[in-house]
Amino acid sequence: MRIAAAVLSLLVLAAAQPVQAQIEVRIGSASPLSGPGAHQGKDIENGARMAIDELNAKGVAVGGKKVKWVLLAEDDASDPKTGAAVAQKLVDARVAGVVGHLNSGTTVPASKIYHDAGIPQISPAATTPLYTSQGFNTAFRVVASDRLVGSTLASYAIDTLKAKKIAVIDDRTAFGQGLADEFNRGVRRLGTATIVSRQFTNDKASDFTAILTQIRSKDPDVVFYGGMDAVAGPMLKQMKALGMRAKLVSGDGICSEKLPQLAGDALGEDKVFCVVAGGVTGPEEARYADFVERYRQRYKIPLQTYAPYAYDATMVLAGAMRQAGSVKPAKYLPALAKIRHQGVTGAIAFDAKGDLRDAALTLYTYRQGKKVKLRVVRP
C-alpha cells in the first residue's frame, strides 16, 4: 500500500508540472518544380529540406519553446503569375519565412506579397538588382546581384580570356536580360573589347540557328549568354554544329551539374565559363565539400547549383528567430537584418538593402564533362 501510495503521489506531482508546449514553425519554399527549370527548383527544395530536417534532429528551440520545423514547398513553374499565386498561398498558410524564389521574374512580384504580409523572404538564387531596390525591408538574398556578376564576367572575358569581339544573347527573362545588360555595361566600362552582336531568344527555345549564324559571321571570341542551362545546352550543340570557335560565358543559371547532359560532347574542354555567388577557400572548403557529399548520399543525385544557398537561407531564418527569441516575423525581422552567419557558402550578412555584404564569386569551367572550380573572386 505504501508503494502504491508513493507511486500515486509521483504521478500526481508529475501531472502538476507544466508541460512544455511544442510550436510548429512553417518555412515556405518556392521554386519551379515543373518545366525546364525543375531540376534547379528541386535543388532549392532539397537544400531547404536538409536544413529543416537538421533543425528538427538537433531539437533547435526558439525562446525556450520546442519547435517542430515544417517545410511547405510550392511549385511556381518559373511563371510570374504562378509565383504571385504561390506567394499568396504561403502567406495564407501563415509561414514564418520564405526561401525563394529561383527566377528573378517570379521573385520580384512575389516579394511585394510577402512584404505586404510582413513575411521575410530570402532568395537563394534571384540576382536582379530590382529585387532589393524596391525598399522592402523583408527582401534578402544570399547570392550576389547581377551588377557584381556581370562586371566580374566582363573582366574575366576580357582580361583572362583575352576577348576582343563579344556577342551577347539573352532569353528575355528578367534574369537573363538583366544579367546581359550588366555584362554589357561591364564591357563598355573596360573599353578594350567590342560588342559585335546583341541577340535574344526565349527561355523555352530550342532552335538558335538564325541568331547563331548571324553571330558566326562576326567571328566573336566569346559568346555571352544570359539565361538558364536548359537553353544553354542545346545552344552549345548548335554552336558546335556551325563550327563556332567562341567560348561561352554565363552566370549561375547555366553553372549546373546537368549542363554536361544537356550539351553532350559540345561542352568541350575549357569552352564554357560560368560563375556562382559565394566562395569558400581554405578550411571552409571542407565544410562545403561535406555538404555536397551529404546531399549526394541523401538524394542519390548530384547537387545542381542552389541547394547550399537554400540550406543557408533556411538556417539564417532559424538563426534570426533564435536570436530574437520569437518566431513572429515582426519580432525577428530586425535580428535577420543584423544577422552574422557562417554558412556552407561562406559568411552571410546583409547590407541596408538586403543584399549580401562582401559577396564573393566562384568561377568554374568544364573539363571531361565535370564542373571544375577555377578560383574565388572577391571584388
Side-chain angles (χ1 to χ4, degrees), residues 32 34-40 77-78 203-204 229-231 258:
S34 60
H39 60 293
Q40 297 280 28
S78 296
D203 59 348
K204 297 176 178 61
D229 57 1
V231 170
K258 192 171 182 178

Side-chain angles (χ1 to χ4, degrees), residues 31-39 41-42 75-78 82:
S31 59
L33 303 178
S34 60
H39 60 293
K42 190 66 176 178
D75 178 12
D76 67 19
S78 296
T82 305

Side-chain angles (χ1 to χ4, degrees), residues 309-370:
Y309 302 94
Y311 173 90
D312 278 352
T314 307
M315 287 302 192
V316 165
L317 287 170
M321 293 178 199
R322 293 186 70 191
Q323 286 186 20
S326 175
V327 300
K328 294 182 178 180
K331 292 189 176 181
Y332 84 79
L333 185 56
L336 178 60
K338 298 177 182 178
I339 198 85
R340 296 290 185 275
H341 177 80
Q342 185 61 48
V344 296
T345 61
I348 296 172
F350 302 113
D351 65 16
K353 286 186 174 182
D355 282 321
L356 192 64
R357 286 185 184 275
D358 303 319
L361 299 168
T362 304
L363 283 157
Y364 291 90
T365 190
Y366 288 84
R367 296 170 184 160
Q368 298 181 347
K370 300 290 184 181

Side-chain angles (χ1 to χ4, degrees), residues 209-266:
T209 306
I211 61 174
L212 290 178
T213 299
Q214 193 278 339
I215 288 173
R216 184 180 62 173
S217 69
K218 303 295 183 181
D219 192 27
D221 306 301
V222 162
V223 173
F224 179 86
Y225 174 60
M228 305 296 287
D229 57 1
V231 170
M235 185 180 292
L236 280 164
K237 289 182 177 180
Q238 290 171 42
M239 286 174 65
K240 181 180 181 182
L242 289 169
M244 295 177 65
R245 66 177 186 86
K247 298 182 185 300
L248 185 73
V249 173
S250 189
D252 58 1
I254 78 160
C255 219
S256 70
E257 296 295 341
K258 192 171 182 178
L259 184 64
Q261 300 172 37
L262 295 165
D265 62 4

Side-chain angles (χ1 to χ4, degrees), residues 30-300:
S31 59
L33 303 178
S34 60
H39 60 293
Q40 297 280 28
K42 190 66 176 178
D43 206 45
I44 286 176
E45 181 191 338
N46 288 345
R49 196 171 297 283
M50 284 179 68
I52 290 292
D53 290 350
E54 187 174 316
L55 291 168
N56 282 323
K58 290 182 177 179
V60 173
V62 176
K65 296 180 181 179
K66 293 181 179 180
V67 175
K68 178 183 178 182
W69 301 88
V70 176
L71 186 72
L72 300 183
E74 295 291 341
D75 178 12
D76 67 19
S78 296
D79 177 72
K81 290 183 179 179
T82 305
V86 161
Q88 189 59 56
K89 185 176 180 180
L90 290 174
V91 168
D92 293 342
R94 297 184 179 180
V95 296
V98 174
V99 176
H101 298 221
L102 185 155
N103 307 92
S104 293
T106 53
T107 301
V108 172
S111 65
K112 185 178 188 308
I113 295 170
Y114 299 132
H115 175 257
D116 290 347
I119 296 174
Q121 170 194 11
I122 304 180
S123 174
T127 56
T128 177
L130 177 59
Y131 171 51
T132 52
S133 298
Q134 302 173 96
F136 296 162
N137 67 339
T138 52
F140 302 86
R141 62 172 142 219
V142 290
V143 292
S145 77
D146 285 339
R147 290 195 180 101
L148 186 57
V149 175
S151 62
T152 298
L153 288 172
S155 296
Y156 189 79
I158 293 171
D159 297 338
T160 303
L161 301 182
K162 306 302 180 184
K164 295 298 183 183
K165 296 189 291 183
I166 300 172
V168 177
I169 309 171
D170 73 71
D171 66 0
R172 295 287 100 171
T173 64
F175 162 66
Q177 185 175 353
L179 180 57
D181 288 344
E182 292 299 335
F183 176 82
N184 275 4
R185 290 188 185 98
V187 171
R188 287 198 297 269
R189 277 196 299 270
L190 291 170
T192 56
T194 304
I195 303 293
V196 295
S197 180
R198 176 72 190 260
Q199 303 291 329
F200 64 89
T201 180
N202 66 72
D203 59 348
K204 297 176 178 61
S206 58
D207 183 2
F208 315 101
T209 306
I211 61 174
L212 290 178
T213 299
Q214 193 278 339
I215 288 173
R216 184 180 62 173
S217 69
K218 303 295 183 181
D219 192 27
D221 306 301
V222 162
V223 173
F224 179 86
Y225 174 60
M228 305 296 287
D229 57 1
V231 170
M235 185 180 292
L236 280 164
K237 289 182 177 180
Q238 290 171 42
M239 286 174 65
K240 181 180 181 182
L242 289 169
M244 295 177 65
R245 66 177 186 86
K247 298 182 185 300
L248 185 73
V249 173
S250 189
D252 58 1
I254 78 160
C255 219
S256 70
E257 296 295 341
K258 192 171 182 178
L259 184 64
Q261 300 172 37
L262 295 165
D265 62 4
L267 190 66
E269 300 287 306
D270 292 295
K271 182 180 178 64
V272 177
F273 297 87
C274 55
V275 66
V276 298
V280 292
T281 55
E284 293 178 339
E285 290 183 290
R287 180 185 302 173
Y288 186 89
D290 175 68
F291 178 86
V292 172
E293 180 58 22
R294 286 191 290 122
Y295 184 100
R296 186 191 65 79
Q297 289 183 4
R298 172 163 179 171
Y299 297 110
K300 311 304 180 188

